[in-house]
Amino acid sequence: MPPIHHDGIKKGGGTGIVCDNNGVLTGEIVMKSIVLTGGGTSGHVTPNIALVPRLRSRGYNIYYIGSKNGIEKQLIEKEGITYYGIPAGKLRRYFDVKNFTDIFRIIGGYGQALSVLRKIKPDIVFSKGGFVSCPVVWAAWSLRIPVIIHESDMTPGLTNKLSAPFAKKVCYTFPETKKYVVPEKAVLTGLPVRDEIVSGDKIKGYKLCGFSGNKPVIMVIGGSQGAENINRVVRSALKELLGTFQVVHICGRGNVKTGYENLKGYKQFEYVNEELPDIFACADVLISRAGATVLFEILSVKKPALLIPLSRSASRGDQILNAESFKKNGYSDVLPEEEFTEKSLVDRINELYRNRNKYIKAMQNADMLNPAEKIVNLIEEVTKR
């Protein structure tokens, strides 16, 4: 454990014991510190939250830099972590008038990130992506603070493409991603999932939803922002689905519809956090988008899922690649959005439920990498250099 002098210069990095100016040990322990960053959707936040217990157990003071009003602020403050909000401008591959105004937000975010990092003086920055993270990564690099970034999807998004040159290491989730990463930086870690996800209580889930144990449960989840097309088709198919199943529908903020409050066997939530493990526990099969975070939560709880990835017309196609990987491994079935109708939904969800044991067995045989532990070990390794 290297000494740390009052001038703030760490001799070797990591946790240390403070020395006075004559090099005499004072016995005071100095904690390591880390800044986590990422935001825009819960998928850029919950993997960071999954690291928190292990970071705390290893003696890290944890800080978070996110956008001023993003979903990450609410999620992180619930964890008791000091939060700094900065301006976040969206990065786009296409022409948009907002590109001209957002560039000033990005510059402002960079300036504020510099100020926060100078104040905190962290040992390392860990970025989970999202538009807010780029200025933080760039500011850390300019201050010679080491950076690790993590890519969730099969192919790197624009934010991580712009961040990777400034990172010491690039963690990635799918083995197929390795070809997109500079070899000496690439580390296959998988995607961290919160420990509590796998510790849900089925009975509590039933009570939350007002369900009984007499019918199997479909859980519908479209991401923290919801999925308009999934919401529409699921609701149109409810009459058919509720003959066999009960349906818990996590439909996104502002997407709860009136008129369904007394429909037996159907329960809507805008968004769930603490309740999520219990709802997972009571579910028999899922209907879901194919963002990497929810896929690895599904894998961790070993629930068969019908994946409806965002189409290429609405995204860069990363969800399609993620879903194809899960289908290839036998973990999930996939229904392309272009083929997603009331009839195809009912037919495929019935087929999924009939064959559920096949999917469960494949997931039980999955090689889980213990992503959170692997990432924290990498953080320790980088900070000791």
Side-chain angles (χ1 to χ4, degrees), residues 2 8 10 19-20 23 36 39 70 75 86 94 102 133 141 164 182 225 229 246 255 266 275 310 317 347 368 382:
K10 297 185 182 181
C19 300
D20 62 21
L36 305 176
L75 294 174
I86 65 172
Y94 53 88
D102 279 5
S133 67
W141 180 83
V182 175
Q225 297 176 335
N229 195 35
Q246 300 167 106
N255 294 322
Y266 179 65
E275 310 94 336
L310 273 169
D347 290 345
M368 301 298 282
V382 169

Side-chain angles (χ1 to χ4, degrees), residues 119-288:
K119 175 183 176 181
I120 297 171
K121 297 182 175 67
D123 295 271
I124 193 165
V125 168
F126 181 82
S127 169
K128 192 60 206 69
F131 302 120
V132 72
S133 67
C134 258
V136 182
V137 169
W138 299 336
W141 180 83
S142 67
L143 296 172
R144 299 300 181 261
I145 299 167
V147 174
I148 296 175
I149 67 174
H150 185 283
E151 176 56 55
S152 293
D153 292 313
M154 191 86 71
T155 59
L158 181 57
T159 297
N160 277 341
K161 284 181 178 178
L162 294 172
S163 297
F166 306 94
K168 294 283 186 184
K169 295 291 180 182
V170 178
C171 304
Y172 58 97
T173 300
F174 296 92
E176 296 93 331
T177 306
K178 184 177 182 179
K179 61 186 176 185
Y180 300 104
V181 183
V182 175
E184 57 267 26
K185 293 185 178 184
V187 183
L188 176 62
T189 61
L191 186 67
V193 172
R194 293 175 292 161
D195 291 338
E196 57 266 30
I197 286 292
V198 299
S199 60
D201 185 310
K202 178 184 285 190
I203 302 303
K204 286 183 180 178
Y206 285 147
K207 288 181 179 178
L208 275 168
C209 300
F211 291 167
S212 71
N214 297 330
K215 287 183 179 180
V217 174
I218 299 172
M219 177 180 179
V220 183
I221 183 165
S224 57
Q225 297 176 335
E228 183 179 349
N229 195 35
I230 290 179
N231 291 346
R232 180 183 59 79
V233 175
V234 165
R235 290 185 179 120
S236 70
L238 279 176
K239 183 177 180 181
E240 188 81 24
L241 292 173
L242 292 177
T244 306
F245 300 96
Q246 300 167 106
V247 178
V248 52
H249 189 175
I250 303 167
C251 48
R253 299 195 187 282
N255 294 322
V256 167
K257 293 289 186 183
T258 58
Y260 292 91
E261 296 84 359
N262 298 318
L263 184 59
K264 185 175 175 58
Y266 179 65
K267 176 68 176 179
Q268 298 178 90
F269 292 94
E270 274 196 327
Y271 179 76
V272 293
N273 188 26
E274 293 89 350
E275 310 94 336
L276 185 60
D278 295 330
I279 296 175
F280 266 134
C282 80
D284 295 281
V285 293
L286 282 80
I287 298 166
S288 176

